[in-house]
Amino acid sequence: MWMICKKEWQQFFNSLTGYIALAVFLLVNGLMLFVFPETSILEFGYASLSGFFNLAPWMLLLMIPTITMRSFADEFKSGSFELLRTLPLTPAQLVWGKFFGAILIAFCAVIPTLMYAVSVQQLSVTGGIDMGATAGSYIGLLLLGAVFTAIGICTSSFTSNTVVAFIAGAFVCFLLYNGFEAISKLSVFSGGLDYYLEMLGISFHYRSISRGVIRVSDIVYFGWLIYFFLTITQRNLLKR
């Protein structure tokens, strides 16, 4: 698994695409938080990172499929998957190795944004940022990144075309992140059912953790989604 994990890491950073993806993620978030007047915290006047934590999931939704689209699609296209099958690795070890390699890259994009929290704290005249909510939001971002990574690897295992893998991964991430919330707002589901529909979506549990209250149900939800998509990936590999 470590060999596969290291291979994913090296493959991503051996191409210019990897550096561009990380740079764009950090640049756009930085511009939105400190430069653009509509969203700048300097114009807002309060020490809060809520704008960043509202935008970051959408940026991850586009960045992580860029990381994972080559996970299996490139292996199928180049024929190297047949070589991987000859190694003493089970499908589970192969999938989890790919997962850990991709998730380390995703974490490398999120961790540098801690400088935003430090900067806002230093700029604050009184009070500072809500440390509990900020810590919860970062935990939520890491969990969100893990789920999006599992989804991206899963969609990559269904095709040998990296573009198709990217589009499918981004679409499924969008559907699970925002789809249930959008459906719950339809008038036909008002009266209590809308709440339970919204609970099925990722955004509901992400917002819950972002408040600084980490509930077991939210952790179980994210863990179950990761296990579900990686299990589908393993079964898909067994059919090839």
Side-chain angles (χ1 to χ4, degrees):
M1 286 175 63
W2 170 243
M3 178 188 67
I4 298 296
C5 177
K6 188 168 68 172
K7 175 178 176 292
E8 287 297 296
W9 176 276
Q10 293 174 341
Q11 181 178 346
F12 184 79
F13 286 106
N14 281 339
S15 68
L16 188 61
T17 305
Y19 293 100
I20 291 175
L22 295 183
V24 169
F25 175 80
L26 295 173
L27 179 62
V28 171
N29 280 303
L31 290 174
M32 294 291 289
L33 188 60
F34 293 107
V35 179
F36 296 155
E38 293 81 6
T39 56
S40 174
I41 191 172
L42 302 178
E43 299 291 335
F44 186 55
Y46 294 95
S48 172
L49 287 173
S50 59
F52 165 70
F53 291 120
N54 289 333
L55 174 67
W58 297 101
M59 296 300 299
L60 288 177
L61 191 149
L62 295 174
M63 187 194 71
I64 291 182
T66 304
I67 297 172
T68 59
M69 65 182 182
R70 300 173 62 183
S71 294
F72 286 106
D74 256 9
E75 305 284 5
F76 299 149
K77 185 177 181 179
S78 65
S80 58
F81 179 70
E82 299 302 322
L83 177 62
L84 287 176
R85 294 181 64 180
T86 64
L87 299 176
L89 291 171
T90 64
Q93 291 173 324
L94 177 58
V95 170
W96 283 94
K98 294 272 189 181
F99 173 75
F100 285 123
I103 203 174
L104 282 175
I105 298 169
F107 286 179
C108 282
V110 174
I111 290 174
T113 64
L114 287 170
M115 70 177 70
Y116 300 157
V118 174
S119 300
V120 173
Q121 181 69 18
Q122 293 297 319
L123 289 170
S124 176
V125 177
T126 58
I129 59 177
D130 185 339
M131 298 304 296
T134 301
S137 295
Y138 269 107
I139 292 172
L141 271 186
L142 295 178
L143 290 171
L144 192 66
V147 171
F148 286 171
T149 300
I151 294 171
I153 288 176
C154 181
T155 56
S156 180
S157 71
F158 281 91
T159 178
S160 59
N161 189 310
T162 54
V163 176
V164 172
F166 169 80
I167 295 173
F171 176 75
V172 175
C173 289
F174 170 79
L175 196 64
L176 288 177
Y177 180 75
N178 194 59
F180 288 102
E181 182 180 0
I183 293 173
S184 69
K185 292 179 179 178
L186 297 175
S187 58
V188 67
F189 296 117
S190 60
L193 185 58
D194 54 342
Y195 176 77
Y196 294 103
L197 273 174
E198 191 176 357
M199 282 183 64
L200 296 175
I202 297 175
S203 61
F204 177 89
H205 298 275
Y206 171 70
R207 289 197 305 269
S208 176
I209 293 178
S210 296
R211 298 186 187 102
V213 180
I214 302 176
R215 301 183 302 179
V216 174
S217 59
D218 296 323
I219 302 299
V220 169
Y221 174 83
F222 282 107
W224 181 84
L225 275 182
I226 294 169
Y227 176 78
F228 174 75
F229 281 102
L230 293 185
T231 300
I232 291 178
T233 308
Q234 293 172 35
R235 294 184 178 180
N236 192 35
L237 295 182
L238 286 172
K239 296 177 183 179
R240 287 184 172 268

